[in-house]
Amino acid sequence: MIIFTTYAYDPLDPNGNFTLKWDIMSWTADGYVATVTMNNFQIYRHIQNPGWTLGWAWAKKEMIWSMVGAQTTEQGDCSKFKGNVPHCCKKVPTVVDLLPGVPFNQQFSNCCKGGVVGAWGQDPSSAVSQFQVSVGLAGTTNKTVKLPKNFTLLGPGPGYSCGPAKIVPSTVFLTTDKRRKTQALMTWNVTCTYSQFLARKHPSCCVSFSSFYNDSITPCPSCACGCENKKSCADPKILTMKGLNTPRKDNAPLLQCTHHMCPVRVHWHVKVKYKDYWRVKIAITNFNYKMNHTLWTLAVQHPNLNNVTQVFSFDYKSVAPYGSINDTGMFYGTKFYNDLLMEAGPSGNTFIFKQGWAFPRKVYFNGDECMLPPPDSYPFLPNSARGNLASFWTLSLTILILMFISIW
């Protein structure tokens, strides 16, 4: 028997992962109390509403007595217990975060955000989620505890694959007065990585181009995100329909009818060519009537990003996954200003900012790579401008060569 294992790899964030850390804080009569910490170490990929879903399989006959800061979606069969009834008796529990506003006695640190976890590169303080679990019918020493197995993570849909739990050195904690260190009785980690190929068979966004020196617009490729939903898409004329923007429990999209059928389109417009730099306007449009994009991010790979001079309207952060090669940047909305990309509608669904470069090599929205038009369809220069804008041709040729190398 041959077993194939697939490891996810993101060339723009090669070290990005989602790490689960279990810290046993105390022993009980029949088990232990553990703090579970979920850290999102991905630079530009976050988990948005409706949030994460975590699952695993118990190694023996363990069950969950109680939880703080999270809950299981099902209790299971606990009929054999008399008196105190456990929180969950399922062999394979499924855990979700609590919603904001739950009673104080049900809250735990970094909990109760509806499962929304920010990207590490955008806001490290929001890139963590925690809960406490009390486990029974388990080992009561480091030698008798059996690690859970077969971890799964939805964020919120498929795409993550998790490795086995591994025992690591116990976590060290610092007291509030910072004069004493304590440590967990036992700690193990689980590492989960994301693959867009596991998440969906089609891209979830596309890119279109235009420029000041050409009247034509290079649109998103037709059916860039698949045309399976073409029969069920929504005409913009039904915007006034009552309940149109109410999300469904299965988080199924309702897309506006377009030739590309993508939930999100990124339009890249070269506004003007100055002597020393380009000025670019970017518009992000949401075509999903049932989805708000919270804490959205836009990652761009371009050879001239090391020469960024100024950014308007949005926040910008350089991403250098390979040290000295600074060709990747991340844009994201300013908190409480434009960090929410509203669902499709008559207004409020487009954001704009400016910057100084020409066409990108790769574009990622919320961590998923967008489909770009074919290189031969990019806006071309008029004959009269060739002498004045020779540098543009040099840049375009570089992009084409790099694309050719990446294909082969």
Side-chain angles (χ1 to χ4, degrees):
M1 179 182 295
I2 301 177
I3 301 176
F4 295 92
T5 303
T6 302
Y7 294 94
Y9 176 75
D10 186 345
L12 300 189
D13 188 13
N15 300 316
N17 65 75
F18 205 97
T19 299
L20 314 175
K21 183 176 66 172
W22 287 58
D23 291 314
I24 296 181
M25 307 304 295
S26 62
W27 303 111
T28 61
D30 67 339
Y32 58 86
V33 176
T35 296
V36 180
T37 304
M38 308 169 67
N39 286 300
N40 182 13
F41 293 120
Q42 299 174 108
I43 297 177
Y44 51 77
R45 183 177 295 108
H46 69 291
I47 294 181
Q48 63 181 4
N49 187 59
W52 54 263
T53 301
L54 179 64
W56 64 82
W58 293 117
K60 299 189 295 184
K61 297 182 179 180
E62 296 92 335
M63 53 74 181
I64 299 175
W65 277 116
S66 63
M67 298 189 73
V68 182
Q71 64 181 3
T72 60
T73 57
E74 297 182 54
Q75 183 183 34
D77 183 9
C78 297
S79 58
K80 67 178 181 179
F81 291 91
K82 308 296 181 182
N84 294 333
V85 179
H87 177 81
C88 179
C89 299
K90 293 185 69 67
K91 176 72 173 179
V92 184
T94 300
V95 178
V96 295
D97 193 13
L98 296 180
L99 298 176
V102 298
F104 183 77
N105 61 350
Q106 298 180 25
Q107 297 182 23
F108 197 71
S109 58
N110 296 307
C111 85
C112 313
K113 297 179 288 186
V116 176
V117 183
W120 184 263
Q122 185 175 6
D123 182 9
S125 64
S126 67
V128 59
S129 183
Q130 288 181 296
F131 62 88
Q132 187 182 77
V133 57
S134 178
V135 182
L137 301 181
T140 56
T141 67
N142 291 31
K143 295 183 178 180
T144 57
V145 166
K146 298 297 182 182
L147 277 57
K149 54 186 180 181
N150 299 334
F151 280 85
T152 59
L153 175 66
L154 299 179
Y160 284 94
S161 54
C162 301
K166 296 182 179 180
I167 297 177
V168 296
S170 297
T171 303
V172 176
F173 304 96
L174 195 63
T175 57
T176 54
D177 60 6
K178 299 182 179 181
R179 301 178 63 187
R180 171 179 163 82
K181 293 181 179 180
T182 61
Q183 69 178 50
L185 304 178
M186 185 178 182
T187 300
W188 62 80
N189 282 354
V190 177
T191 302
C192 303
T193 53
Y194 180 85
S195 170
Q196 186 173 345
F197 298 103
L198 297 177
R200 56 185 62 86
K201 63 179 180 179
H202 298 297
S204 59
C205 53
C206 64
V207 181
S208 57
F209 294 135
S210 62
S211 64
F212 71 95
Y213 53 77
N214 195 307
D215 294 334
S216 62
I217 296 178
T218 303
C220 289
S222 297
C223 295
C225 300
C227 282
E228 290 83 351
N229 297 324
K230 195 75 173 180
K231 295 182 180 179
S232 58
C233 63
D235 191 284
K237 297 179 181 179
I238 67 171
L239 290 176
T240 58
M241 183 181 297
K242 187 176 181 180
L244 176 68
N245 297 112
T246 303
R248 291 174 45 174
K249 290 184 178 180
D250 60 359
N251 207 36
L254 177 61
L255 301 181
Q256 181 176 317
C257 294
T258 59
H259 74 280
H260 52 74
M261 289 304 295
C262 288
V264 173
R265 181 192 64 197
V266 179
H267 184 69
W268 188 285
H269 175 67
V270 181
K271 292 189 66 176
V272 65
K273 169 67 168 68
Y274 291 98
K275 181 179 179 180
D276 298 321
Y277 65 92
W278 298 89
R279 172 168 289 180
V280 172
K281 180 178 75 173
I282 297 179
I284 307 172
T285 305
N286 183 7
F287 291 101
N288 189 348
Y289 288 99
K290 294 185 179 294
M291 173 65 74
N292 289 334
H293 293 282
T294 57
L295 303 176
W296 61 268
T297 61
L298 184 73
V300 177
Q301 186 180 35
H302 189 284
N304 280 0
L305 277 183
N306 59 335
N307 295 321
V308 171
T309 58
Q310 194 172 13
V311 177
F312 299 92
S313 300
F314 293 150
D315 291 328
Y316 170 78
K317 180 176 292 186
S318 176
V319 178
Y322 302 104
S324 60
I325 304 177
N326 182 16
D327 65 348
T328 307
M330 179 181 70
F331 301 90
Y332 51 96
T334 303
K335 198 169 185 179
F336 305 122
Y337 173 57
N338 57 1
D339 59 341
L340 173 64
L341 182 61
M342 297 295 292
E343 71 274 356
S347 62
N349 60 353
T350 302
F351 295 124
I352 296 172
F353 62 87
K354 305 178 218 177
Q355 195 41 252
W357 60 88
F359 298 112
R361 188 185 308 163
K362 287 186 178 182
V363 175
Y364 289 70
F365 180 77
N366 281 353
D368 284 338
E369 185 174 357
C370 304
M371 177 173 284
L372 273 67
D376 59 354
S377 67
Y378 284 25
F380 59 88
L381 288 167
N383 293 334
S384 60
R386 290 181 180 176
N388 297 330
L389 299 178
S391 60
F392 172 79
W393 283 113
T394 303
L395 175 60
S396 299
L397 180 61
T398 303
I399 294 175
L400 290 177
I401 293 174
L402 291 172
M403 287 183 175
F404 182 82
I405 293 174
S406 65
I407 293 174
W408 288 95

Short mmCIF file of all heavy atoms in Angstrom, two decimals, residues 231-271:
data_model
loop_
_atom_site.label_atom_id
_atom_site.label_comp_id
_atom_site.label_asym_id
_atom_site.label_seq_id
_atom_site.Cartn_x
_atom_site.Cartn_y
_atom_site.Cartn_z
N LYS A 231 -26.53 29.57 -13.93
CA LYS A 231 -27.98 29.45 -13.98
C LYS A 231 -28.64 30.02 -12.73
O LYS A 231 -29.83 30.36 -12.75
CB LYS A 231 -28.37 27.98 -14.15
CG LYS A 231 -27.93 27.38 -15.48
CD LYS A 231 -28.39 25.93 -15.60
CE LYS A 231 -27.95 25.32 -16.92
NZ LYS A 231 -28.37 23.91 -17.05
N SER A 232 -27.90 30.12 -11.64
CA SER A 232 -28.48 30.58 -10.38
C SER A 232 -27.99 31.96 -9.97
O SER A 232 -28.21 32.38 -8.83
CB SER A 232 -28.17 29.59 -9.25
OG SER A 232 -26.77 29.43 -9.10
N CYS A 233 -27.31 32.69 -10.87
CA CYS A 233 -26.81 34.01 -10.52
C CYS A 233 -27.95 35.02 -10.48
O CYS A 233 -29.05 34.77 -10.98
CB CYS A 233 -25.73 34.45 -11.51
SG CYS A 233 -26.30 34.64 -13.21
N ALA A 234 -27.68 36.18 -9.89
CA ALA A 234 -28.70 37.19 -9.67
C ALA A 234 -28.49 38.37 -10.60
O ALA A 234 -27.36 38.84 -10.78
CB ALA A 234 -28.68 37.65 -8.22
N ASP A 235 -29.58 38.86 -11.17
CA ASP A 235 -29.54 40.04 -12.01
C ASP A 235 -29.49 41.28 -11.12
O ASP A 235 -30.18 41.35 -10.10
CB ASP A 235 -30.76 40.10 -12.92
CG ASP A 235 -30.61 41.16 -13.99
OD1 ASP A 235 -30.77 42.34 -13.65
OD2 ASP A 235 -30.35 40.80 -15.14
N PRO A 236 -28.67 42.29 -11.45
CA PRO A 236 -28.60 43.50 -10.61
C PRO A 236 -29.93 44.21 -10.44
O PRO A 236 -30.09 45.00 -9.51
CB PRO A 236 -27.60 44.39 -11.38
CG PRO A 236 -26.78 43.45 -12.19
CD PRO A 236 -27.70 42.33 -12.56
N LYS A 237 -30.91 43.92 -11.30
CA LYS A 237 -32.21 44.59 -11.21
C LYS A 237 -33.00 44.17 -9.97
O LYS A 237 -33.99 44.80 -9.63
CB LYS A 237 -33.03 44.31 -12.46
CG LYS A 237 -32.40 44.87 -13.73
CD LYS A 237 -33.24 44.55 -14.95
CE LYS A 237 -32.61 45.10 -16.22
NZ LYS A 237 -33.42 44.78 -17.44
N ILE A 238 -32.59 43.07 -9.30
CA ILE A 238 -33.36 42.58 -8.15
C ILE A 238 -32.81 43.12 -6.84
O ILE A 238 -33.06 42.57 -5.77
CB ILE A 238 -33.36 41.05 -8.11
CG1 ILE A 238 -31.94 40.53 -7.82
CG2 ILE A 238 -33.88 40.47 -9.41
CD1 ILE A 238 -31.90 39.03 -7.56
N LEU A 239 -32.04 44.22 -6.91
CA LEU A 239 -31.40 44.75 -5.71
C LEU A 239 -32.38 45.13 -4.62
O LEU A 239 -32.06 45.13 -3.44
CB LEU A 239 -30.55 45.98 -6.07
CG LEU A 239 -29.29 45.71 -6.90
CD1 LEU A 239 -28.62 47.01 -7.26
CD2 LEU A 239 -28.34 44.82 -6.14
N THR A 240 -33.61 45.47 -4.99
CA THR A 240 -34.60 45.90 -4.00
C THR A 240 -35.36 44.74 -3.38
O THR A 240 -36.22 44.96 -2.53
CB THR A 240 -35.59 46.87 -4.66
OG1 THR A 240 -36.22 46.23 -5.77
CG2 THR A 240 -34.88 48.13 -5.15
N MET A 241 -35.06 43.52 -3.78
CA MET A 241 -35.79 42.37 -3.25
C MET A 241 -35.52 42.20 -1.76
O MET A 241 -34.39 42.24 -1.30
CB MET A 241 -35.37 41.09 -4.00
CG MET A 241 -36.13 39.84 -3.55
SD MET A 241 -35.58 38.37 -4.45
CE MET A 241 -36.05 38.81 -6.13
N LYS A 242 -36.57 42.00 -0.97
CA LYS A 242 -36.45 41.87 0.47
C LYS A 242 -35.72 40.58 0.85
O LYS A 242 -36.00 39.52 0.31
CB LYS A 242 -37.85 41.89 1.11
CG LYS A 242 -37.82 41.93 2.63
CD LYS A 242 -39.23 42.05 3.20
CE LYS A 242 -39.20 42.12 4.72
NZ LYS A 242 -40.57 42.24 5.30
N GLY A 243 -34.77 40.70 1.77
CA GLY A 243 -34.01 39.53 2.24
C GLY A 243 -32.93 39.06 1.31
O GLY A 243 -32.34 38.00 1.53
N LEU A 244 -32.61 39.85 0.29
CA LEU A 244 -31.60 39.43 -0.70
C LEU A 244 -30.24 39.22 -0.05
O LEU A 244 -29.53 38.27 -0.37
CB LEU A 244 -31.51 40.49 -1.80
CG LEU A 244 -30.42 40.24 -2.86
CD1 LEU A 244 -30.77 39.03 -3.70
CD2 LEU A 244 -30.27 41.47 -3.75
N ASN A 245 -29.85 40.11 0.87
CA ASN A 245 -28.51 40.06 1.47
C ASN A 245 -28.44 39.23 2.74
O ASN A 245 -27.43 39.27 3.44
CB ASN A 245 -28.02 41.48 1.75
CG ASN A 245 -27.88 42.30 0.49
OD1 ASN A 245 -28.63 43.24 0.29
ND2 ASN A 245 -26.95 41.95 -0.36
N THR A 246 -29.49 38.47 3.07
CA THR A 246 -29.47 37.63 4.27
C THR A 246 -28.63 36.38 4.01
O THR A 246 -28.96 35.59 3.14
CB THR A 246 -30.89 37.21 4.67
OG1 THR A 246 -31.68 38.38 4.87
CG2 THR A 246 -30.85 36.40 5.94
N PRO A 247 -27.53 36.18 4.75
CA PRO A 247 -26.68 35.00 4.53
C PRO A 247 -27.43 33.71 4.84
O PRO A 247 -28.28 33.65 5.72
CB PRO A 247 -25.52 35.22 5.50
CG PRO A 247 -25.54 36.66 5.83
CD PRO A 247 -26.98 37.07 5.77
N ARG A 248 -27.10 32.65 4.11
CA ARG A 248 -27.67 31.34 4.37
C ARG A 248 -26.80 30.58 5.36
O ARG A 248 -25.63 30.89 5.55
CB ARG A 248 -27.76 30.55 3.05
CG ARG A 248 -28.80 31.08 2.09
CD ARG A 248 -28.76 30.37 0.76
NE ARG A 248 -28.66 28.92 0.90
CZ ARG A 248 -28.74 28.07 -0.13
NH1 ARG A 248 -28.89 28.53 -1.36
NH2 ARG A 248 -28.63 26.77 0.07
N LYS A 249 -27.40 29.58 6.01
CA LYS A 249 -26.67 28.81 7.01
C LYS A 249 -25.50 28.06 6.41
O LYS A 249 -24.48 27.85 7.06
CB LYS A 249 -27.62 27.84 7.71
CG LYS A 249 -28.64 28.52 8.62
CD LYS A 249 -29.49 27.50 9.35
CE LYS A 249 -30.48 28.19 10.28
NZ LYS A 249 -31.32 27.21 11.02
N ASP A 250 -25.63 27.63 5.15
CA ASP A 250 -24.53 26.90 4.51
C ASP A 250 -23.51 27.83 3.86
O ASP A 250 -22.59 27.38 3.19
CB ASP A 250 -25.08 25.91 3.47
CG ASP A 250 -25.88 26.60 2.37
OD1 ASP A 250 -26.03 27.85 2.42
OD2 ASP A 250 -26.37 25.89 1.47
N ASN A 251 -23.71 29.16 4.04
CA ASN A 251 -22.78 30.15 3.51
C ASN A 251 -22.68 30.10 1.99
O ASN A 251 -21.67 30.50 1.40
CB ASN A 251 -21.39 29.99 4.12
CG ASN A 251 -20.62 31.29 4.14
OD1 ASN A 251 -21.21 32.34 4.35
ND2 ASN A 251 -19.32 31.21 3.93
N ALA A 252 -23.73 29.61 1.33
CA ALA A 252 -23.74 29.53 -0.13
C ALA A 252 -23.80 30.94 -0.72
O ALA A 252 -24.55 31.80 -0.25
CB ALA A 252 -24.93 28.71 -0.61
N PRO A 253 -23.02 31.21 -1.76
CA PRO A 253 -22.99 32.55 -2.34
C PRO A 253 -24.19 32.79 -3.26
O PRO A 253 -24.81 31.86 -3.77
CB PRO A 253 -21.68 32.56 -3.13
CG PRO A 253 -21.51 31.14 -3.55
CD PRO A 253 -22.05 30.31 -2.41
N LEU A 254 -24.49 34.05 -3.47
CA LEU A 254 -25.44 34.48 -4.48
C LEU A 254 -24.73 35.53 -5.31
O LEU A 254 -24.59 36.68 -4.90
CB LEU A 254 -26.72 35.05 -3.86
CG LEU A 254 -27.76 35.59 -4.85
CD1 LEU A 254 -28.23 34.47 -5.78
CD2 LEU A 254 -28.94 36.21 -4.11
N LEU A 255 -24.24 35.11 -6.47
CA LEU A 255 -23.38 35.96 -7.28
C LEU A 255 -24.17 36.78 -8.27
O LEU A 255 -25.18 36.33 -8.81
CB LEU A 255 -22.34 35.11 -8.02
CG LEU A 255 -21.41 34.24 -7.17
CD1 LEU A 255 -20.43 33.51 -8.07
CD2 LEU A 255 -20.66 35.09 -6.16
N GLN A 256 -23.68 37.99 -8.50
CA GLN A 256 -24.23 38.81 -9.56
C GLN A 256 -23.83 38.21 -10.90
O GLN A 256 -22.72 37.71 -11.07
CB GLN A 256 -23.70 40.24 -9.44
CG GLN A 256 -24.22 41.20 -10.48
CD GLN A 256 -23.72 42.61 -10.23
OE1 GLN A 256 -23.71 43.07 -9.09
NE2 GLN A 256 -23.29 43.29 -11.28
N CYS A 257 -24.71 38.24 -11.86
CA CYS A 257 -24.44 37.65 -13.17
C CYS A 257 -23.38 38.48 -13.89
O CYS A 257 -23.57 39.66 -14.19
CB CYS A 257 -25.71 37.62 -14.01
SG CYS A 257 -26.99 36.51 -13.35
N THR A 258 -22.24 37.86 -14.16
CA THR A 258 -21.15 38.49 -14.89
C THR A 258 -20.56 37.48 -15.86
O THR A 258 -20.83 36.27 -15.76
CB THR A 258 -20.03 38.98 -13.93
OG1 THR A 258 -19.53 37.85 -13.19
CG2 THR A 258 -20.57 40.03 -12.96
N HIS A 259 -19.74 37.93 -16.78
CA HIS A 259 -19.13 37.01 -17.72
C HIS A 259 -18.04 36.18 -17.06
O HIS A 259 -17.72 35.07 -17.51
CB HIS A 259 -18.54 37.77 -18.91
CG HIS A 259 -17.28 38.51 -18.60
ND1 HIS A 259 -17.28 39.75 -17.97
CD2 HIS A 259 -15.98 38.20 -18.80
CE1 HIS A 259 -16.05 40.15 -17.81
NE2 HIS A 259 -15.22 39.24 -18.30
N HIS A 260 -17.45 36.70 -15.95
CA HIS A 260 -16.38 35.96 -15.27
C HIS A 260 -16.88 35.12 -14.11
O HIS A 260 -16.22 34.17 -13.69
CB HIS A 260 -15.31 36.92 -14.77
CG HIS A 260 -15.85 38.05 -13.95
ND1 HIS A 260 -16.30 37.90 -12.65
CD2 HIS A 260 -16.00 39.36 -14.24
CE1 HIS A 260 -16.70 39.07 -12.19
NE2 HIS A 260 -16.54 39.98 -13.12
N MET A 261 -18.05 35.45 -13.55
CA MET A 261 -18.69 34.72 -12.45
C MET A 261 -17.77 34.57 -11.24
O MET A 261 -17.73 33.54 -10.58
CB MET A 261 -19.17 33.36 -12.93
CG MET A 261 -20.37 33.40 -13.86
SD MET A 261 -21.78 34.28 -13.13
CE MET A 261 -22.18 33.21 -11.76
N CYS A 262 -17.05 35.63 -10.92
CA CYS A 262 -16.19 35.64 -9.74
C CYS A 262 -16.84 36.41 -8.61
O CYS A 262 -17.47 37.45 -8.85
CB CYS A 262 -14.84 36.27 -10.07
SG CYS A 262 -13.76 35.25 -11.11
N PRO A 263 -16.70 35.95 -7.38
CA PRO A 263 -17.22 36.71 -6.25
C PRO A 263 -16.55 38.06 -6.07
O PRO A 263 -17.16 39.00 -5.58
CB PRO A 263 -16.95 35.80 -5.05
CG PRO A 263 -16.78 34.43 -5.62
CD PRO A 263 -16.16 34.64 -6.97
N VAL A 264 -15.26 38.16 -6.44
CA VAL A 264 -14.51 39.40 -6.25
C VAL A 264 -13.69 39.69 -7.51
O VAL A 264 -13.08 38.78 -8.09
CB VAL A 264 -13.56 39.29 -5.04
CG1 VAL A 264 -12.65 40.52 -4.96
CG2 VAL A 264 -14.35 39.16 -3.75
N ARG A 265 -13.72 40.96 -7.91
CA ARG A 265 -12.88 41.40 -9.03
C ARG A 265 -11.95 42.52 -8.55
O ARG A 265 -12.38 43.44 -7.85
CB ARG A 265 -13.72 41.93 -10.18
CG ARG A 265 -12.89 42.38 -11.40
CD ARG A 265 -13.71 43.16 -12.39
NE ARG A 265 -14.19 44.42 -11.82
CZ ARG A 265 -15.20 45.14 -12.34
NH1 ARG A 265 -15.84 44.70 -13.41
NH2 ARG A 265 -15.56 46.26 -11.75
N VAL A 266 -10.69 42.42 -8.94
CA VAL A 266 -9.70 43.46 -8.66
C VAL A 266 -9.36 44.15 -9.98
O VAL A 266 -8.87 43.51 -10.90
CB VAL A 266 -8.43 42.86 -8.03
CG1 VAL A 266 -7.40 43.96 -7.76
CG2 VAL A 266 -8.76 42.12 -6.74
N HIS A 267 -9.65 45.44 -10.06
CA HIS A 267 -9.35 46.19 -11.29
C HIS A 267 -8.13 47.06 -11.07
O HIS A 267 -8.07 47.86 -10.13
CB HIS A 267 -10.53 47.06 -11.71
CG HIS A 267 -10.29 47.76 -13.02
ND1 HIS A 267 -10.23 47.08 -14.22
CD2 HIS A 267 -10.05 49.06 -13.31
CE1 HIS A 267 -9.99 47.94 -15.20
NE2 HIS A 267 -9.86 49.15 -14.67
N TRP A 268 -7.16 46.91 -11.96
CA TRP A 268 -5.86 47.60 -11.86
C TRP A 268 -5.78 48.60 -13.00
O TRP A 268 -5.71 48.22 -14.16
CB TRP A 268 -4.76 46.56 -11.96
CG TRP A 268 -3.38 47.04 -11.70
CD1 TRP A 268 -2.60 47.79 -12.52
CD2 TRP A 268 -2.59 46.77 -10.53
NE1 TRP A 268 -1.38 48.01 -11.95
CE2 TRP A 268 -1.35 47.40 -10.73
CE3 TRP A 268 -2.82 46.07 -9.36
CZ2 TRP A 268 -0.33 47.33 -9.80
CZ3 TRP A 268 -1.81 46.01 -8.42
CH2 TRP A 268 -0.58 46.63 -8.64
N HIS A 269 -5.79 49.89 -12.66
CA HIS A 269 -5.77 50.94 -13.69
C HIS A 269 -4.53 51.80 -13.54
O HIS A 269 -4.29 52.40 -12.48
CB HIS A 269 -7.02 51.83 -13.56
CG HIS A 269 -7.01 53.00 -14.51
ND1 HIS A 269 -7.10 52.85 -15.88
CD2 HIS A 269 -6.90 54.33 -14.28
CE1 HIS A 269 -7.06 54.03 -16.45
NE2 HIS A 269 -6.94 54.95 -15.51
N VAL A 270 -3.72 51.86 -14.59
CA VAL A 270 -2.54 52.72 -14.62
C VAL A 270 -3.02 54.12 -15.00
O VAL A 270 -3.42 54.35 -16.14
CB VAL A 270 -1.49 52.22 -15.62
CG1 VAL A 270 -0.27 53.13 -15.61
CG2 VAL A 270 -1.09 50.79 -15.28
N LYS A 271 -2.97 55.06 -14.05
CA LYS A 271 -3.56 56.38 -14.27
C LYS A 271 -2.66 57.29 -15.08
O LYS A 271 -3.09 57.96 -16.01
CB LYS A 271 -3.88 57.04 -12.92
CG LYS A 271 -5.00 56.38 -12.16
CD LYS A 271 -5.40 57.21 -10.96
CE LYS A 271 -6.01 58.54 -11.41
NZ LYS A 271 -6.49 59.33 -10.25
#
